[in-house]
Amino acid sequence: MLKNTNFSILLSFLSLWLTSFLKNESQIIVGFILILSFGIVHGANDLLLIKKINSTEKTTYWKILFNYISIVLLAIILFTLVPWLAMLLFILVSSYHFGEQHWENKNFYSSKIATTLFNTVYGLFILLLLFQFHKKEVMTILLGITGLSLNFINITLLLIIISFILLGMFIYNFYSSKLFQKNLAVELLYLVVFTILFKVGSLIWAFAIYFIFWHSIPSLLDQTKFLFGDVSISNFKRYCKSAFLYWLISIVGIIVLYFVLKDYKIFDSIFFSFLAAITFPHVFVIERMFHVKNKKTE
């Protein structure tokens, strides 16, 4: 885990160095290339993960698949009928997902509810920290998605509130967990890295760096180990080969949507509906994967 995070720090600062050579338009292009490559690939093996989970749990494959498809359809319906609610849920679910990936090797709570709350608060802090440095762009995107002016939302105030909640959780963990005490200094260092990254980079560029180097690649490694037993070049190739068709379908769908709807305001809503339709069920599958993995280590 430490090797992975050291690698992420190195790539983050390398990306920040590249920021001085890339114009804002170039940052956006490269950022989207990263998101559409590693970002989508890391969620493209969900069906294979479902089969693996089904082989180790009593839950049937068809039940998990039914839940997966239901979540996809619900996401699309919500973004179509109640986009502001869908966006709120998207942010909260993504927050949990980011926190879960970051802390999955360091479980400080015996309670599932406490673990879920901690992961969500941590992930929400990361997103609000990013939003804080790019308020205008964030509000423009939210307006395009929801059709509502959300300028009444005080991102700074929300960040302060979440910061105090997270601080309280950190203090509790410090006094109750030796593992947390051991990792506190390096975790604070990561937060400093994220702050520098979000402040210096543009919105898409900063998000892409965090999303790819701190979330997608670590998730790819975890999934590869879960599916094939260990992380190696050959197993990584197996992962990418099995994910290729799903990834290709996703990319073609996004490209078609872009050329069909690029001149319409509805494209933003449809695009984020598409991403959410991938993200919501992916979070469900990864949560089950970690559940199975943790049961094996108990």
Coordinates of all heavy atoms in Angstrom, one line a residue, residues 54-91:
N54 N -19.9 -14.1 -6.6 CA -20.9 -15.2 -6.5 C -20.3 -16.5 -6.2 O -20.9 -17.4 -5.5 CB -21.6 -15.3 -7.9 CG -22.6 -16.4 -7.9 OD1 -23.5 -16.4 -7.1 ND2 -22.5 -17.3 -8.8
S55 N -19.1 -16.7 -6.5 CA -18.4 -18.0 -6.3 C -18.0 -18.1 -4.8 O -17.7 -19.2 -4.4 CB -17.1 -18.1 -7.2 OG -16.1 -17.2 -6.8
T56 N -18.0 -17.0 -4.1 CA -17.5 -17.1 -2.7 C -18.6 -16.8 -1.7 O -18.5 -16.9 -0.5 CB -16.4 -16.1 -2.4 OG1 -16.8 -14.8 -2.8 CG2 -15.2 -16.5 -3.3
E57 N -19.8 -16.4 -2.2 CA -20.9 -16.0 -1.3 C -22.2 -16.9 -1.7 O -22.2 -17.4 -2.8 CB -21.3 -14.5 -1.4 CG -20.2 -13.7 -0.7 CD -20.8 -12.2 -0.5 OE1 -21.5 -11.7 -1.4 OE2 -20.5 -11.7 0.6
K58 N -23.2 -16.9 -0.9 CA -24.4 -17.7 -1.2 C -25.3 -16.9 -2.1 O -26.2 -17.4 -2.7 CB -25.1 -18.0 0.1 CG -24.3 -19.0 1.0 CD -25.1 -19.3 2.3 CE -24.4 -20.3 3.2 NZ -25.1 -20.6 4.4
T59 N -25.1 -15.6 -2.2 CA -25.9 -14.7 -3.0 C -25.8 -15.2 -4.5 O -24.7 -15.4 -5.0 CB -25.5 -13.2 -2.9 OG1 -25.6 -12.9 -1.6 CG2 -26.4 -12.4 -3.8
T60 N -26.9 -15.3 -5.2 CA -26.8 -15.8 -6.6 C -26.3 -14.7 -7.5 O -26.5 -13.5 -7.3 CB -28.2 -16.3 -7.0 OG1 -29.1 -15.2 -7.1 CG2 -28.8 -17.4 -6.1
Y61 N -25.7 -15.2 -8.6 CA -25.2 -14.3 -9.6 C -26.3 -13.4 -10.2 O -26.2 -12.2 -10.4 CB -24.5 -15.1 -10.7 CG -24.2 -14.3 -11.9 CD1 -23.0 -13.5 -12.0 CD2 -25.0 -14.3 -13.1 CE1 -22.7 -12.7 -13.1 CE2 -24.7 -13.5 -14.2 CZ -23.5 -12.7 -14.2 OH -23.2 -12.0 -15.3
W62 N -27.5 -14.1 -10.4 CA -28.6 -13.3 -11.0 C -29.2 -12.3 -10.1 O -29.6 -11.2 -10.6 CB -29.7 -14.3 -11.5 CG -29.2 -15.2 -12.6 CD1 -28.9 -16.6 -12.5 CD2 -28.9 -14.8 -13.9 NE1 -28.5 -17.0 -13.7 CE2 -28.5 -16.0 -14.6 CE3 -29.0 -13.6 -14.6 CZ2 -28.1 -16.0 -15.9 CZ3 -28.6 -13.6 -15.9 CH2 -28.2 -14.8 -16.6
K63 N -29.1 -12.6 -8.8 CA -29.6 -11.6 -7.8 C -28.7 -10.3 -7.8 O -29.2 -9.2 -7.8 CB -29.7 -12.2 -6.4 CG -30.2 -11.2 -5.4 CD -30.3 -11.9 -4.0 CE -30.8 -10.9 -3.0 NZ -30.9 -11.5 -1.6
I64 N -27.4 -10.6 -7.8 CA -26.5 -9.4 -7.9 C -26.6 -8.7 -9.2 O -26.6 -7.4 -9.2 CB -25.0 -9.9 -7.7 CG1 -24.9 -10.6 -6.3 CG2 -24.1 -8.8 -7.8 CD1 -23.5 -11.2 -6.1
L65 N -26.7 -9.4 -10.3 CA -26.9 -8.8 -11.6 C -28.2 -8.0 -11.7 O -28.2 -6.9 -12.2 CB -26.9 -9.9 -12.7 CG -26.9 -9.3 -14.1 CD1 -25.7 -8.4 -14.4 CD2 -27.0 -10.5 -15.1
F66 N -29.2 -8.5 -11.1 CA -30.5 -7.8 -11.1 C -30.4 -6.5 -10.3 O -30.8 -5.4 -10.7 CB -31.6 -8.6 -10.4 CG -32.9 -7.9 -10.2 CD1 -33.8 -7.7 -11.3 CD2 -33.3 -7.4 -9.0 CE1 -35.0 -7.1 -11.1 CE2 -34.5 -6.7 -8.8 CZ -35.3 -6.6 -9.9
N67 N -29.7 -6.5 -9.1 CA -29.4 -5.3 -8.3 C -28.6 -4.3 -9.1 O -28.9 -3.1 -9.1 CB -28.7 -5.7 -7.0 CG -29.6 -6.4 -6.1 OD1 -30.9 -6.4 -6.2 ND2 -29.0 -7.2 -5.2
Y68 N -27.6 -4.8 -9.8 CA -26.7 -4.0 -10.7 C -27.5 -3.2 -11.7 O -27.4 -2.0 -11.8 CB -25.7 -4.9 -11.3 CG -24.6 -4.1 -12.0 CD1 -23.4 -3.8 -11.3 CD2 -24.7 -3.7 -13.3 CE1 -22.3 -3.1 -12.0 CE2 -23.7 -3.0 -14.0 CZ -22.5 -2.7 -13.3 OH -21.5 -2.0 -13.9
I69 N -28.3 -4.0 -12.5 CA -29.1 -3.3 -13.6 C -30.1 -2.4 -13.0 O -30.4 -1.3 -13.5 CB -29.8 -4.4 -14.4 CG1 -28.7 -5.3 -15.1 CG2 -30.7 -3.8 -15.4 CD1 -29.3 -6.4 -15.9
S70 N -30.7 -2.7 -11.9 CA -31.7 -1.9 -11.2 C -31.1 -0.5 -10.8 O -31.8 0.5 -11.0 CB -32.3 -2.6 -10.0 OG -33.0 -3.8 -10.3
I71 N -29.9 -0.6 -10.3 CA -29.2 0.7 -9.9 C -28.9 1.5 -11.1 O -29.1 2.8 -11.1 CB -27.9 0.3 -9.1 CG1 -28.3 -0.4 -7.8 CG2 -27.1 1.6 -8.8 CD1 -27.0 -0.9 -7.1
V72 N -28.5 0.9 -12.2 CA -28.3 1.6 -13.5 C -29.6 2.4 -13.9 O -29.5 3.6 -14.2 CB -27.8 0.7 -14.6 CG1 -27.8 1.4 -15.9 CG2 -26.4 0.1 -14.2
L73 N -30.7 1.6 -14.0 CA -31.9 2.2 -14.4 C -32.4 3.3 -13.5 O -32.9 4.4 -13.9 CB -33.0 1.1 -14.5 CG -32.7 0.1 -15.6 CD1 -33.8 -1.0 -15.5 CD2 -32.7 0.7 -17.0
L74 N -32.2 3.1 -12.2 CA -32.7 4.1 -11.2 C -31.8 5.4 -11.3 O -32.4 6.5 -11.2 CB -32.5 3.6 -9.8 CG -32.9 4.5 -8.6 CD1 -34.4 4.9 -8.7 CD2 -32.6 3.9 -7.3
A75 N -30.5 5.2 -11.6 CA -29.7 6.4 -11.8 C -30.2 7.2 -13.0 O -30.2 8.5 -13.0 CB -28.2 6.0 -12.0
I76 N -30.4 6.5 -14.1 CA -30.9 7.2 -15.3 C -32.2 7.9 -15.1 O -32.4 9.1 -15.5 CB -31.0 6.2 -16.5 CG1 -29.6 5.7 -16.8 CG2 -31.7 6.9 -17.7 CD1 -29.7 4.6 -17.9
I77 N -33.1 7.3 -14.4 CA -34.5 7.9 -14.1 C -34.3 9.1 -13.2 O -34.9 10.1 -13.5 CB -35.4 6.8 -13.5 CG1 -35.7 5.7 -14.5 CG2 -36.7 7.5 -12.9 CD1 -36.5 4.5 -13.8
L78 N -33.5 9.0 -12.2 CA -33.3 10.1 -11.3 C -32.7 11.3 -12.0 O -33.1 12.5 -11.8 CB -32.4 9.7 -10.1 CG -33.1 9.0 -8.9 CD1 -32.0 8.6 -7.9 CD2 -34.1 9.9 -8.3
F79 N -31.7 11.1 -12.8 CA -31.1 12.2 -13.5 C -32.0 12.8 -14.6 O -31.9 14.0 -14.9 CB -29.8 11.8 -14.2 CG -28.5 12.0 -13.4 CD1 -27.9 11.1 -12.7 CD2 -27.9 13.3 -13.5 CE1 -26.8 11.3 -11.9 CE2 -26.8 13.6 -12.7 CZ -26.2 12.6 -11.9
T80 N -33.0 12.0 -15.0 CA -33.9 12.6 -16.0 C -35.0 13.3 -15.3 O -35.4 14.4 -15.8 CB -34.5 11.4 -16.8 OG1 -33.5 10.7 -17.5 CG2 -35.5 11.9 -17.9
L81 N -35.6 12.8 -14.2 CA -36.7 13.4 -13.5 C -36.4 14.4 -12.4 O -37.0 15.4 -12.3 CB -37.6 12.3 -13.0 CG -38.2 11.3 -14.0 CD1 -39.0 10.2 -13.3 CD2 -39.0 12.0 -15.1
V82 N -35.4 14.0 -11.6 CA -35.0 14.9 -10.5 C -33.4 15.0 -10.5 O -32.8 14.4 -9.6 CB -35.4 14.3 -9.1 CG1 -35.4 15.3 -8.0 CG2 -36.8 13.6 -9.2
P83 N -32.9 15.8 -11.4 CA -31.4 15.9 -11.5 C -30.7 16.4 -10.3 O -29.6 16.0 -10.0 CB -31.3 16.8 -12.8 CG -32.6 17.5 -12.9 CD -33.6 16.6 -12.4
W84 N -31.3 17.3 -9.5 CA -30.7 17.9 -8.4 C -30.5 16.8 -7.3 O -29.4 16.7 -6.6 CB -31.4 19.1 -7.8 CG -32.7 18.7 -7.2 CD1 -34.0 18.8 -7.8 CD2 -33.0 18.3 -5.8 NE1 -35.0 18.4 -6.9 CE2 -34.4 18.1 -5.7 CE3 -32.2 18.1 -4.7 CZ2 -35.0 17.7 -4.5 CZ3 -32.8 17.6 -3.5 CH2 -34.1 17.4 -3.4
L85 N -31.5 15.9 -7.1 CA -31.4 14.8 -6.2 C -30.4 13.8 -6.6 O -29.6 13.3 -5.8 CB -32.8 14.2 -6.0 CG -32.8 13.0 -5.0 CD1 -32.4 13.4 -3.6 CD2 -34.2 12.4 -5.0
A86 N -30.4 13.5 -7.9 CA -29.5 12.5 -8.5 C -28.0 13.0 -8.3 O -27.1 12.2 -8.0 CB -29.8 12.3 -10.0
M87 N -27.8 14.3 -8.5 CA -26.5 14.9 -8.4 C -26.0 14.8 -6.9 O -24.9 14.5 -6.6 CB -26.5 16.4 -8.9 CG -25.1 16.9 -9.1 SD -24.3 16.0 -10.4 CE -22.6 16.2 -10.0
L88 N -26.9 15.1 -6.0 CA -26.6 15.1 -4.6 C -26.2 13.6 -4.2 O -25.2 13.4 -3.5 CB -27.8 15.5 -3.7 CG -27.7 15.4 -2.2 CD1 -26.5 16.3 -1.7 CD2 -29.0 15.8 -1.5
L89 N -27.0 12.7 -4.6 CA -26.7 11.3 -4.3 C -25.4 10.8 -5.0 O -24.6 10.1 -4.4 CB -27.8 10.4 -4.8 CG -29.1 10.5 -4.0 CD1 -30.2 9.6 -4.7 CD2 -29.0 10.1 -2.6
F90 N -25.2 11.3 -6.2 CA -23.9 11.0 -6.9 C -22.7 11.5 -6.1 O -21.7 10.8 -6.0 CB -24.0 11.7 -8.3 CG -22.8 11.4 -9.2 CD1 -22.3 10.1 -9.3 CD2 -22.2 12.4 -9.9 CE1 -21.2 9.8 -10.1 CE2 -21.2 12.2 -10.8 CZ -20.7 10.9 -10.9
I91 N -22.8 12.7 -5.6 CA -21.7 13.3 -4.8 C -21.5 12.5 -3.5 O -20.3 12.1 -3.1 CB -21.9 14.7 -4.4 CG1 -21.8 15.6 -5.7 CG2 -20.9 15.3 -3.4 CD1 -22.2 17.0 -5.5

